[in-house]
Amino acid sequence: MKYAAIRAAFELIWLSRLPSLSRALSKSRGVIFTLHRVLPEPPPAFFPNAILQIEPDFLDYTIARLRDLGIDIITLDEAMERLAEPQKPRPFVVLTFDDAYRDNLQYALPILSRHEAPFTLYVPTAFADGVGEIWWQAIEDIIARQEAVAFTENGDVEYVDTSTTARKKDAFSRLYWHMRKMPEPARRALLAEFCSNYGYDLEKQCRDLIMTWQELRLFAGDPLCTIGAHTVHHYELAKLSADEARQEISQSVDVIEAQFGLRPQHFSYPLGGPLSCGPREFDIVRDLGFKTAVTTRPGGLYPHHVQTPTALPRVSLNGYFQSRRYVDIFASGGIFTAIGKLTG
């Protein structure tokens, strides 16, 4: 229902020609896009993480369409320079990819290279080490192949019917948000138990989905690519103590520097919403010397963001909304700023 309502709103926005008016009249100067996976296969009926996946053709069209609209695709460094200019410059988009999925190498990089489109890739270092826990994908994979699952909630073991697509979606949503609300140690313990009960190998999953350091060197050596930090373990930083959060961030920077000989200047908060990061985390990242840090709070970029460079909004290039006409909406920062204010 939620996504059907959003799609209906997008249709009305597009039909009203509001995107072009917004770009012309809004004080928003640009947008940072959030991307994760790029894969050619259409998702199955049960695929709650489809929100994180777009098809290569849609990425290709998006880049071409942005340039047809007179929108520049630029780096984060140039974006901050444009925000500081006294007069409104040409509109821009910044492309950012979280998590270092291997499909970024196979499907996204050739498109980005062909279009000479700069981008930032945020790397969680434990993932590249092959020991990360891509827990949101793990619980989807387990539920997808089971007729019923059992998990512990509030100390009780509960059996949940997952025999239909609708019931699988309900089970995923329930378990996902249960984990999101738990402290990280408790979430990891529940995940380990859940995966063990169903013979799911988390490390193999990580090795299958995420690029190795050797593969990542192909990105680090590409002049179009800016390597950014994304913590070590992809924990929600707001759930950690201040010292633990600082360690997660600083250690990831040290590892990336050791691997590539460059110290990342840009950071992405894992998950990036209000439950995952806030003023404390923004201050930690600023104190560690990053030039920018991105959230997943929706919105465009405005001159005032020069004063808060470690709390930048982004717009998700969302796998549920791959209609070509929606690209004009995604590129309109003012629209998403209004959406962000309405949704809190």
Side-chain angles (χ1 to χ4, degrees), residues 18 36 59 65 73 79 83 95 106 112 133 141 174 179 184 192 202 205 207 214 224 227 235 238 287 297 300 302 343:
L18 185 58
H36 289 83
L59 176 61
R65 177 59 178 166
I73 300 173
L83 293 180
L95 302 175
Q106 185 174 0
L112 296 163
E133 297 177 350
D141 292 346
R174 182 175 167 186
M179 288 187 169
E184 290 292 355
L202 277 168
Q205 177 224 40
R207 293 192 299 272
Q214 183 175 356
L224 292 172
I227 296 291
Y235 295 154
D287 293 345
R297 293 165 169 83
Y302 297 80
T343 59

Side-chain angles (χ1 to χ4, degrees), residues 4-298:
I6 294 173
R7 192 171 289 107
F10 276 15
E11 290 293 335
L12 288 173
I13 291 170
W14 182 76
L15 288 169
S16 70
R17 298 187 178 179
L18 185 58
S20 59
L21 288 172
S22 174
R23 288 192 300 275
L25 302 177
S26 171
K27 294 181 180 179
S28 172
R29 295 190 172 186
V31 172
I32 304 174
F33 279 165
T34 308
L35 300 100
H36 289 83
R37 308 196 66 185
V38 179
L39 286 168
E41 300 86 6
F46 173 67
F47 192 10
N49 288 302
I51 191 173
L52 303 178
Q53 176 178 318
I54 63 169
E55 295 178 11
D57 286 349
F58 186 63
L59 176 61
D60 186 65
Y61 174 80
T62 296
I63 294 172
R65 177 59 178 166
L66 291 172
R67 288 178 168 157
D68 286 345
L69 291 170
I71 298 172
D72 296 335
I73 300 173
I74 63 175
T75 65
L76 281 165
D77 288 317
E78 185 173 348
M80 298 309 293
E81 291 172 3
R82 291 197 186 190
L83 293 180
E85 291 180 10
Q87 301 298 320
K88 188 176 180 179
R90 280 173 58 89
F92 64 84
V93 159
V94 179
L95 302 175
T96 66
F97 293 78
D98 286 8
D99 301 342
Y101 286 99
R102 179 170 284 117
D103 50 69
N104 291 178
L105 175 62
Q106 185 174 0
Y107 296 108
L109 185 58
I111 295 169
L112 296 163
S113 297
R114 185 170 67 254
H115 286 284
E116 297 184 349
F119 63 96
T120 298
L121 181 71
Y122 296 109
V123 180
T125 57
F127 284 20
D129 287 335
V131 295
E133 297 177 350
I134 310 169
W135 63 270
W136 54 94
Q137 187 63 52
I139 63 174
E140 177 190 299
D141 292 346
I142 292 170
I143 292 171
R145 64 194 189 198
Q146 301 296 324
E147 294 294 301
V149 295
F151 58 85
T152 303
E153 186 173 10
N154 300 322
D156 298 322
V157 177
E158 184 164 358
Y159 295 89
V160 180
D161 184 354
T162 56
S163 59
T164 68
T165 297
R167 289 172 176 169
K168 289 181 189 297
K169 290 178 179 178
D170 288 343
F172 176 89
S173 179
R174 182 175 167 186
L175 183 53
Y176 175 88
W177 286 107
H178 179 53
M179 288 187 169
R180 284 290 308 275
K181 294 172 184 177
M182 301 174 77
E184 290 292 355
R187 181 194 59 75
R188 293 192 65 211
L190 177 58
L191 177 68
E193 176 188 12
F194 191 60
C195 290
S196 176
N197 289 343
Y198 295 97
Y200 191 91
D201 189 335
L202 277 168
E203 288 194 7
K204 180 180 184 303
Q205 177 224 40
C206 184
R207 293 192 299 272
D208 289 344
L209 292 182
I210 304 298
M211 285 182 277
T212 64
W213 289 111
Q214 183 175 356
E215 289 169 319
L216 282 166
R217 286 189 180 91
L218 297 173
F219 281 86
D222 192 316
L224 292 172
C225 180
T226 299
I227 296 291
H230 199 33
T231 75
V232 176
H233 297 100
H234 203 277
Y235 295 154
E236 293 184 78
L237 295 174
K239 294 181 178 180
L240 306 180
S241 71
D243 288 343
E244 289 170 332
R246 182 179 293 270
Q247 179 66 17
E248 271 288 311
I249 300 166
S250 62
Q251 185 177 336
S252 70
V253 171
D254 292 341
V255 171
I256 291 172
E257 183 176 28
Q259 289 287 341
F260 301 134
L262 58 90
R263 196 162 184 85
Q265 300 294 307
H266 305 279
F267 182 76
S268 172
Y269 301 98
L271 281 79
L275 293 176
S276 308
C277 58
R280 186 194 69 169
E281 289 70 42
F282 304 156
D283 289 345
I284 291 172
V285 170
R286 181 201 61 213
D287 293 345
L288 288 171
F290 285 94
K291 290 182 179 179
T292 72
V294 293
T295 68
T296 56
R297 293 165 169 83

